[in-house]
């Protein structure tokens, strides 16, 4: 069974999460601050992590950013008592894969963890997808565009793979949420928009044309840009 790291400084919440996840069959690694979490990532190499935003020594957002900067792509679910959109966007900006505001329902937490763990590597026999000058190797989880390597987070890669597999097909926001996260977010969620924004920034870093297009009022579509 998968190993889940729990980084939460509130003892009651940490112990409750530990009991719930162990009851569900997961191996758990509970720690009470961000510095201990950084060490635990190296020692235990968890399959996923639940990370609180407000922790001593290293906060959850900084922890996530440090992990991404050193190339760690472990799926991260951020817990936060902050409900403002800007606060949630900050966590996604740092490289988190998902967020869950406190207080939360246990079933929703478990559903989100299952969704993160489902998005695993595709295996050695996975195909290489091509769209224009974009090449996406689903086995190695590598993306290149025009010969340039594009470094993506796990969620960014998963979104891009889904869009490219369905190139020229307009995918609704709810369809993408269901496929990538395993459930639909509330209508006001900006999670997908944030990830799409960073995807575009990375894919278009050298002035290349747009591959991921917005269809207003519907969702997104991947297609080769029209020649100028």
């Amino acid at each position: 069974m998968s190993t889940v790291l729990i980084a939460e400084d509130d003892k009651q919440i940490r112990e409750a999460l530990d009991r719930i996840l162990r009851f569900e069959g997961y191996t758990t690694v509970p720690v009470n601050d961000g510095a201990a979490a950084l060490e635990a990532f190296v020692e235990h190499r968890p399959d996923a992590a639940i990370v609180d935003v407000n922790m001593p020594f290293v906060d959850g957002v900084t922890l996530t950013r440090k992990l991404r900067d050193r190339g760690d792509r472990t799926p991260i679910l951020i817990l936060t008592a902050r409900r403002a959109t800007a606060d949630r966007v900050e966590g996604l900006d740092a490289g988190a894969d998902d967020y869950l505001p406190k207080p939360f329902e246990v079933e929703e937490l478990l559903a989100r963890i299952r969704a993160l763990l489902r998005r695993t590597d595709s295996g050695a026999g996975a195909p290489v997808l091509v769209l224009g000058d974009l090449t996406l190797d689903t086995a190695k989880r590598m993306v290149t565009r025009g010969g340039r390597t594009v470094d993506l987070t796990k969620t960014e890669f998963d979104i891009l793979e889904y869009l490219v597999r369905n190139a020229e097909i307009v995918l609704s926001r709810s369809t993408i949420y269901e496929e990538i996260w395993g459930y639909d977010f509330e209508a006001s969620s900006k999670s997908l928009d944030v990830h799409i924004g960073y995807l575009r920034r990375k894919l278009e870093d050298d002035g290349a044309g747009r591959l991921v297009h917005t269809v207003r009022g519907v969702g997104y579509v991947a297609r080769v840009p029209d020649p100028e």
Side-chain angles (χ1 to χ4, degrees):
M1 179 58 75
S2 301
T3 297
V4 180
L5 184 145
I6 305 166
E8 168 64 70
D9 66 319
D10 186 304
K11 183 179 179 181
Q12 287 188 324
I13 295 176
R14 184 176 65 254
E15 291 180 348
L17 289 173
D18 186 36
R19 286 194 302 272
I20 291 165
L21 291 172
R22 284 191 289 108
F23 180 80
E24 292 294 320
Y26 295 103
T27 299
T28 59
V29 181
V31 296
N32 61 3
D33 63 68
L38 282 171
E39 294 178 2
F41 270 96
V42 175
E43 182 178 352
H44 298 279
R45 301 183 64 84
D47 300 294
I50 302 172
V51 175
D52 184 41
V53 169
N54 295 316
M55 293 188 295
F57 306 119
V58 181
D59 65 82
V61 173
T62 301
L63 166 65
T64 302
R65 187 174 291 114
K66 284 179 177 293
L67 289 168
R68 298 312 187 222
D69 285 347
R70 70 189 192 192
D72 192 315
R73 293 293 176 258
T74 303
I76 294 175
L77 168 64
I78 282 189
L79 298 180
T80 176
R82 306 169 185 172
R83 291 185 170 270
T85 298
D87 293 320
R88 301 184 189 188
V89 168
E90 183 183 18
L92 295 172
D93 182 6
D97 297 274
D98 198 359
Y99 61 79
L100 184 62
K102 298 177 182 178
F104 51 83
E105 296 291 335
V106 171
E107 288 305 317
E108 182 177 5
L109 171 75
L110 293 174
R112 294 187 182 221
I113 291 297
R114 288 194 297 269
L116 289 179
L117 291 170
R118 275 198 301 270
R119 285 146 43 197
T120 55
D121 290 359
S122 303
V128 173
L129 306 177
V130 178
L131 181 65
D133 62 350
L134 176 79
T135 300
L136 191 150
D137 188 324
T138 59
K140 297 179 180 178
R141 294 186 71 83
M142 291 180 57
V143 175
T144 58
R145 185 167 191 198
R148 174 178 62 89
T149 300
V150 182
D151 184 28
L152 301 181
T153 67
K154 183 174 180 62
T155 297
E156 290 166 354
F157 184 96
D158 291 339
I159 293 171
L160 181 61
E161 179 184 355
Y162 186 51
L163 289 170
V164 173
R165 284 189 185 278
N166 295 277
E168 305 296 336
I169 299 173
V170 178
L171 301 172
S172 69
R173 291 168 55 84
S174 61
T175 296
I176 299 172
Y177 275 125
E178 289 285 354
E179 174 66 24
I180 302 302
W181 281 274
Y183 49 86
D184 195 0
F185 276 36
E186 64 271 20
S188 61
S189 173
K190 300 297 182 184
S191 179
L192 177 59
D193 307 290
V194 171
H195 285 297
I196 291 290
Y198 284 106
L199 249 182
R200 285 173 172 164
R201 217 174 285 180
K202 293 175 180 181
L203 293 174
E204 302 166 17
D205 185 52
D206 58 355
R210 177 149 295 179
L211 289 175
V212 179
H213 303 264
T214 301
V215 179
R216 191 173 298 278
V218 182
Y220 297 96
V221 60
R223 61 171 177 256
V224 177
D226 297 329
E228 297 182 358

